[in-house]
Amino acid sequence: MSSTEEEGPLYAAREPIFPRRISGRFRTLKWWIMGFTLGIYYVTPWIRWDRGPNLPDQAVLIDMSGRRFFFFMIEIWPQEFYFVAGLLIMAGLGLFLFTSALGRVWCGYACPQTVWTDLYILAERWVEGDRNARVRLQRQAWDFEKWRKRLVKWAAWLLIGLTTGGAWVFYFTDAPQLFVDLFAGTAAPIAYITIAILTGTTFVFGGFAREQICIYACPWPRIQSAMMDEDTLTIGYRNWRGEPRGKQDVEGNGDCIDCSACVTVCPMGIDIRDGQQMACITCGLCIDACDGIMDKVGKPQGLIGYFALTDETRERAGEPPKPVWAHVFRPRTILYTALWSAIGILLIVALFMRQNIDVSVTPVRSPTHVVLADGAIRNTYDLRLRNKHGEDRWFSFSANSPATLILTLEGTDELRVLVKANETREQRLYITAARDSLAANQARTPVRLWISDEEGIEVPRAERVNKDTIFNGKDD
Amino acid sequence: MCAKVVKSQPKKVATTGHVWDGIEELNNPMPRWWVWIFYLCILFAIGYSVAYPAWPMLTRATPGLLQASTRADVQAEIDRFDAANAPMKAQLVATDLTMVGQDVTLNSYALKAGKAVFNINCVQCHGREGGGSKARGYPTLSDNEWLYGGDLDAIHTTITHGIRNTSDPDARNFGLVMPAWSERALAGPLADAATAKLTAEQIGEVVNFVFKLSGQTADDAKALAGAQLFADNCAACHGEDGKGNRDLGAPGLTDAIWLFGGDEAALTATIAAGRGGVMPPWGFAPEGGLARLSEDQIRAVTLYVHSLGGGE
C-alpha cells in the first residue's frame, strides 16, 4: 500500500460532460447510422405483410400468447427456437468480426446507448445551445431561464423515451390497434408498464448516465479488449507527430497546438491524446475535430485517426502504415466471416427445408407394452401433430418396419385425423404385433412412422415426415 | 508494440500497491451514484422487510404490513381455476357419458382432468397409464379385457362403488370371492367359500386344464381329470367354456391376459389360496362424510380410463 497521504477520495461524483458540436466525415456517418437504426426501430412494427386469413398481417411480430414469431415470409414456432439461437450465434460472431477488425466500432456507431445518447445530446443542444452556453447554464443559479430550459429539455427527453418504449410494445401485438388502444386507455396493463419502464430507463441512461453506462455498467467493453490485437484498427493520437504540443510558432513543437478541440467534442469526456483507454468508444468525433483544426493551421490531417499498433510501430520507424484492407482482411477476420456465413447458410437451408407439418412422437413406456386378450402385444405412442398450413389438413399414418405391425388410432376407426389450420393436435397411436409374431417376441423392433398430410394420394403440396421409434415386444 | 511507454499518467491517482508484470493497479474512486444505489438497496430492503414477511419470531415470521402469503396466493389461484372450471364441470355432470366425445372442448377437459385425478388417486395400484400389477393382482386398464365390463357405464359404476369393499353396500361382488380350494387352506372367508376341498394333486389337474383352455402346453392326462373338477367347482363362475362372467367379475381363462399370472406357480397359488381383490368406493359418501371424489371427477377419470386403449 502506498502512503495514505496519496490516497484520493473513496467516491467521485460524475463530472458533467458538455460535448461541443462538430461536423466532419465521422459526424456525417454517425447521423446517417442514427437515422438508419432509429428508422428501423420505429418503422418496422408498422410494416404490413399479408399472410391470408387467420394470421396477423404485421411483418415483424412476436406473438407471445400464440407462441409464434413472424418475420415477413418466415413464421417460427416455439420448437423451432434453434433459429433464434442461430441468429444469436451469428450476432455474437458478427461482433467478434467487427471488433477484431475495427475495435469498438459497435460501441461508437451502432450501440443503442450511443445512438440514443447522441439523440439526447442533439435535443439538449437545441434547447440549451452549444457547449459554452451549456457550461454557463450549468453554473447559473436556478433562475427562470434555467428552469425553463431544463424543463423543456427534460420534456423533450421524456417524449423521446416515451416513443422509444412505445415503439417496443408495438413489436408484440398489432401496432395500429395497440396505438388506438394506448390512447383509449384500453391496452393491456403490461403495455403501459413496459412503456413506463423503457421511458424511465431511456430518460436516465440517455440523459444523465450516458458514459457511466459504458464505463461502469456494460460488460461488452471488457470482453472487447480481449478480442483486439495489434492489427485492430482503433482511434489513436500520433504523438510522435504531435509532441511536444504547444504554440505552432515555437521552434521544435509538434503538430498538436493543444487547442483541446478533441477533448471538448468527446461524449465520453476523455483526452484521446492520453492513448487507448477503456472509456473510449471510438466514435470518431475527435478525428473530425482535429482534422478541422489541422486544415486551419495548414498541417496534414490525421494527427488523430484510425490506425493499429502495427501501424504505430511502422510509422515510428519512418515506414508507411499498412493499407486499411490489410487490417480488415486477415486470417482471423476471414475465419470469423467464414463461420458467420456458414451458420447463416445453414439457417437459410434449414428454413427452406422445413415442412408445413411437424410431428413429435413420445412412446408411452410405462408400461412398455400391453398384452391383449388374443395374446397380441400393443405399444402406445403419444403424438403431437402440428399443422402449419393455413388450412385444415387430414394427417394419415403408416409405418415401415422389418416386422408386421398394425396401426390404430385412439378414438377413431380410421387411420387419419383432421388437424385444424395452425393448430397442434394431440393424438394417441397404437401399434400392435400379433401373438408370437416377430415383433411380439423380440425385445426391440425399430419402426419408422410416416405421417402425411394427405390420404396417401399423390397431391401437389402433400408433405410427408417420418419419425423413428421403437416397438417393445415381450421382455420375458 | 512500441518500445517505450510514452503515455503520460492521465490523472494523479494513487495505486493499490499491487503490481503484476510491471502493471500497477490504479486505485480509482468508485462513482458516487453507485454508492447511492447501494444505500437505496438498503432502504429497499428495510421497506421490504416491513411490508413483507421477513423477521423470524418464535413460532413464525412477522407477517408484514401487506399480509402477503404465497399460500394464500396459491389458494386464490386454485379458487380462481375452480370457478373458471365450474361451468365445464357442471356440463360434464349433465352430459351423457357416451356423448362427451362429441364435444371436443368438453372431451379434452375431461381427459386432462381425468388424467390428473388418476395420477393422484389410482396410479398407486393400477400404475401409470393403467399398466396394472400382475404381482399384486391390480388389473391392467389399458388392455382389452375387463372383469366387470369396459364400456363407459360399467367403468363409471366400478369407480363409483368399488369392488368387494365393506363400506359401500352397492360395491360390486360384495361377499363374492374366489374361494381357497386347497384342503390345507387356512380357515377364513376364502376357505369358507369353497364348496369342496381339493388335494394338491387335484389342483395340479385343474391347472393343467386351465393351461389347455388358454392354449398353453398341458399334460393331457392331468387336464382330462381336471376338466371334471373344473366343471364341478369352477364352471359356476368361470363358465363351462372358461370364458368368464362379467356379472360375477370372474375372469375369462381362455385368453392371454392373467390378473395374477398364468404360469403354473401363479395358477396353483390362485386356486389353492383363493383371490378376492378389493377396490374402494370413490363415489360413496358415508353418513356425515364426503365421497372421495366428486361426480365430475369420477366422470372425468372414467373417460380417461376408457381412453387408455381398452375402452369398449
Side-chain angles (χ1 to χ4, degrees):
Chain A
M1 208 58 200
S2 49
S3 66
T4 43
E5 287 86 347
E6 283 176 42
E7 279 187 34
L10 278 175
Y11 310 112
R14 171 181 183 250
E15 285 176 30
I17 298 166
F18 307 94
R20 193 164 61 81
R21 182 174 176 275
I22 190 69
S23 55
R25 285 182 293 159
F26 289 100
R27 182 64 266 181
T28 310
L29 177 65
K30 278 169 71 75
W31 287 136
W32 279 106
I33 292 176
M34 185 207 274
F36 181 65
T37 49
L38 288 179
I40 290 177
Y41 178 72
Y42 287 116
V43 171
T44 303
W46 297 91
I47 305 173
R48 300 290 102 182
W49 189 269
D50 184 24
R51 293 189 184 86
N54 309 326
L55 285 174
D57 65 346
Q58 187 157 320
V60 177
L61 178 69
I62 301 162
D63 181 0
M64 290 290 201
S65 55
R67 296 189 178 83
R68 300 273 195 289
F69 172 56
F70 298 97
F71 187 84
F72 294 92
M73 71 292 281
I74 302 167
E75 179 188 341
I76 292 186
W77 288 41
Q79 59 276 8
E80 292 164 334
F81 202 75
Y82 55 85
F83 281 110
V84 180
L87 287 174
L88 285 176
I89 293 171
M90 283 178 76
L93 280 172
L95 279 171
F96 294 178
L97 169 64
F98 277 97
T99 306
S100 64
L102 298 166
R104 291 177 64 181
V105 64
W106 163 261
C107 302
Y109 299 88
C111 176
Q113 174 66 19
T114 299
V115 171
W116 260 272
T117 301
D118 231 13
L119 190 61
Y120 269 48
I121 292 174
L122 185 68
E124 186 171 79
R125 192 182 297 138
W126 273 339
V127 177
E128 298 181 346
D130 205 6
R131 178 181 158 85
N132 295 340
R134 299 212 299 275
V135 173
R136 257 200 318 279
L137 190 69
Q138 171 85 2
R139 294 190 184 136
Q140 199 168 317
W142 283 90
D143 58 6
F144 173 74
E145 190 203 6
K146 186 163 179 174
W147 273 113
R148 178 178 61 82
K149 286 186 171 171
R150 282 286 143 94
L151 287 177
V152 171
K153 177 177 81 172
W154 291 338
W157 283 356
L158 271 176
L159 203 65
I160 297 170
L162 201 63
T163 51
T164 306
W168 180 261
V169 294
F170 289 149
Y171 282 85
F172 293 87
T173 182
D174 186 55
Q177 183 60 43
L178 179 62
F179 189 74
V180 174
D181 289 349
L182 280 174
F183 283 99
T186 52
I190 186 73
Y192 292 107
I193 294 169
T194 307
I195 292 176
I197 291 175
L198 282 173
T199 305
T201 49
T202 312
F203 184 71
V204 173
F205 288 5
F208 302 98
R210 292 186 183 172
E211 81 290 345
Q212 302 282 308
I213 298 297
C214 310
I215 298 173
Y216 296 110
C218 181
W220 182 234
R222 309 294 98 77
I223 303 166
Q224 275 175 316
S225 18
M227 281 172 217
M228 304 216 269
D229 55 32
E230 58 271 27
D231 267 321
T232 302
L233 284 170
T234 55
I235 293 174
Y237 164 64
R238 293 186 158 88
N239 71 347
W240 57 95
R241 201 188 116 186
E243 298 295 319
R245 59 184 87 152
K247 283 215 167 76
Q248 227 198 327
D249 43 12
V250 176
E251 185 61 29
N253 271 359
D255 285 355
C256 176
I257 58 166
D258 209 7
C259 63
S260 290
C262 55
V263 178
T264 53
V265 297
C266 181
M268 302 297 289
I270 57 168
D271 186 346
I272 191 65
R273 295 171 300 173
D274 292 334
Q276 261 295 297
Q277 49 204 290
M278 77 166 191
C280 178
I281 58 169
T282 70
C283 65
L285 295 185
C286 50
I287 302 180
D288 283 346
C290 191
D291 282 352
I293 298 294
M294 288 298 111
D295 286 348
K296 277 188 196 140
V297 300
K299 292 276 166 62
Q301 293 190 343
L303 181 58
I304 297 173
Y306 267 105
F307 59 88
L309 278 174
T310 49
D311 295 334
E312 180 171 347
T313 318
R314 290 164 77 105
E315 284 187 28
R316 280 177 189 281
E319 297 166 27
K322 280 195 209 169
V324 170
W325 64 263
H327 291 296
V328 174
F329 298 103
R330 291 183 283 127
R332 185 171 172 183
T333 55
I334 291 167
L335 176 70
Y336 284 145
T337 313
L339 283 173
W340 187 86
S341 322
I343 294 172
I345 290 166
L346 268 176
L347 285 184
I348 291 170
V349 169
L351 202 59
F352 282 99
M353 299 258 298
R354 71 191 180 139
Q355 289 180 297
N356 280 324
I357 63 173
D358 184 24
V359 177
S360 57
V361 177
T362 314
V364 174
R365 286 298 181 238
S366 117
T368 55
H369 66 273
V370 170
V371 181
L372 300 185
D374 60 359
I377 304 283
R378 186 170 72 187
N379 280 207
T380 306
Y381 302 84
D382 281 332
L383 310 182
R384 290 179 74 85
L385 310 166
R386 286 178 277 268
N387 175 10
K388 298 184 215 169
H389 288 290
E391 62 208 42
D392 298 359
R393 284 286 170 119
W394 286 93
F395 281 38
S396 59
F397 307 86
S398 59
N400 278 6
S401 171
T404 311
L405 298 168
I406 303 152
L407 268 56
T408 43
L409 293 176
E410 169 64 29
T412 170
D413 296 333
E414 289 184 298
L415 206 50
R416 57 171 207 164
V417 287
L418 184 67
V419 187
K420 294 238 168 67
N422 298 305
E423 279 189 13
T424 301
R425 175 177 175 146
E426 289 172 29
Q427 175 65 44
R428 186 161 266 211
L429 170 83
Y430 302 112
I431 301 183
T432 311
R435 177 177 204 159
D436 291 332
S437 68
L438 178 66
N441 286 344
Q442 75 187 21
R444 291 160 68 81
T445 307
V447 179
R448 171 164 291 181
L449 277 177
W450 286 93
I451 297 99
S452 166
D453 62 353
E454 295 284 354
E455 296 178 87
I457 314 157
E458 283 306 317
V459 180
R461 288 182 64 218
E463 291 180 9
R464 289 179 93 200
V465 291
N466 67 69
K467 291 281 169 184
D468 288 332
T469 183
I470 294 288
F471 180 88
N472 283 340
K474 273 184 191 165
D475 41 15
D476 43 46
Chain B
M1 293 292 290
C2 51
K4 120 180 130 69
V5 178
V6 288
K7 132 183 171 178
S8 61
Q9 181 139 322
K11 283 174 204 158
K12 271 193 86 108
V13 179
T15 72
T16 58
H18 303 158
V19 182
W20 293 272
D21 298 337
I23 300 170
E24 284 181 277
E25 189 186 10
L26 292 179
N27 194 10
N28 274 307
M30 295 258 287
R32 192 176 294 281
W33 59 265
W34 241 11
V35 186
W36 281 113
I37 286 180
F38 176 60
Y39 290 146
L40 273 176
C41 288
I42 296 175
L43 275 179
F44 175 84
I46 294 170
Y48 186 93
S49 75
V50 173
Y52 285 92
W55 302 103
M57 307 301 273
L58 277 179
T59 51
R60 51 165 301 177
T62 51
L65 288 179
L66 295 181
Q67 300 289 331
S69 155
T70 46
R71 187 181 289 259
D73 290 349
V74 170
Q75 192 53 51
E77 193 83 331
I78 291 172
D79 292 345
R80 196 166 66 77
F81 275 100
D82 279 350
N85 282 335
M88 196 65 99
K89 288 179 178 174
Q91 196 189 345
L92 183 59
V93 173
T95 310
D96 188 275
L97 274 174
T98 52
M99 302 306 289
V100 174
Q102 314 284 330
D103 185 334
V104 177
T105 326
L106 185 62
N107 194 44
S108 165
Y109 166 81
L111 292 183
K112 289 200 166 82
K115 182 169 190 170
V117 173
F118 187 90
N119 284 347
I120 293 168
N121 299 287
C122 316
V123 280
Q124 292 85 340
C125 299
H126 290 287
R128 287 187 62 79
E129 303 281 343
S133 163
K134 214 160 265 169
R136 295 171 169 210
Y138 298 127
T140 304
L141 304 176
S142 50
D143 62 24
N144 56 355
E145 194 202 15
W146 296 89
L147 294 171
Y148 298 91
D151 60 25
L152 285 163
D153 280 336
I155 297 172
H156 184 260
T157 306
T158 304
I159 297 172
T160 306
H161 299 295
I163 295 161
R164 290 192 195 93
N165 60 70
T166 49
S167 39
D168 187 343
D170 293 328
R172 288 188 187 274
N173 269 15
F174 185 74
L176 263 178
V177 293
M178 159 112 181
W181 293 101
S182 169
E183 56 183 8
R184 294 193 292 166
L186 296 170
L190 293 183
D192 295 346
T195 52
K197 292 293 172 191
L198 304 183
T199 62
E201 198 179 330
Q202 286 174 311
I203 290 173
E205 288 165 357
V206 177
V207 167
N208 271 283
F209 179 69
V210 174
F211 278 166
K212 217 170 173 61
L213 276 178
S214 55
Q216 304 182 65
T217 41
D219 183 317
D220 281 340
K222 283 186 180 173
L224 203 61
Q228 190 55 47
L229 287 165
F230 186 88
D232 291 345
N233 302 303
C234 315
C237 296
H238 292 284
E240 297 282 340
D241 49 5
K243 295 251 187 233
N245 184 344
R246 282 183 174 181
D247 291 336
L248 303 168
L253 305 174
T254 56
D255 59 28
I257 296 173
W258 298 95
L259 186 50
F260 296 91
D263 58 10
E264 186 164 10
L267 283 176
T268 308
T270 300
I271 298 169
R275 300 288 188 188
V278 176
M279 171 170 163
W282 295 93
F284 171 73
E287 260 190 47
L290 282 173
R292 295 174 194 233
L293 296 179
S294 58
E295 176 60 18
D296 62 277
Q297 287 176 312
I298 291 176
R299 280 168 168 256
V301 83
T302 301
L303 287 155
Y304 174 72
V305 168
H306 189 262
S307 80
L308 285 175
E312 290 172 349

